Amino acid sequence: MLFSQRRQLHRKLAEWIESSNSEDLSPHFATLANHWQNADDTAKAIDYLEKAGQSALQIGDYEQAERYFKECLELDATAAVLSAEFFEKKLKREQAST
């Protein structure tokens, strides 16, 4: 299966989980984070990782909460670096064209 097809499949699965469980998504936060991350939707992945971490804290699973929060921070840092690189390249292209 091509990566683009995998991304689409993960997106469809995440959307299905959200619509099928709209009354209570809490049992699915980690799964949703995984699917959104694999769908290349970093913002949604970070949001669900944070929610999964908060849920783990509420039940006292501190090790799992730490893993979710760590992954959230790593994903956020990676997204920030990629965004900065994108805008730096775009700025350089704009400057070169003027």
Side-chain angles (χ1 to χ4, degrees), residues 16-26 28:
W16 179 81
I17 292 168
E18 286 177 336
S19 66
S20 298
N21 300 282
S22 60
E23 293 175 12
D24 183 17
L25 290 174
S26 59
H28 309 285

Side-chain angles (χ1 to χ4, degrees), residues 78-94:
T78 301
V81 168
L82 293 176
S83 294
E85 288 175 4
F86 170 79
F87 288 114
E88 286 173 13
K89 287 177 185 176
K90 184 173 178 143
L91 181 60
K92 286 178 184 176
R93 282 194 304 262
E94 291 292 323

Side-chain angles (χ1 to χ4, degrees), residues 50-63:
E50 186 176 349
K51 289 176 180 179
Q54 291 294 336
S55 291
L57 278 177
Q58 288 177 348
I59 62 169
D61 190 349
Y62 302 112
E63 288 179 22

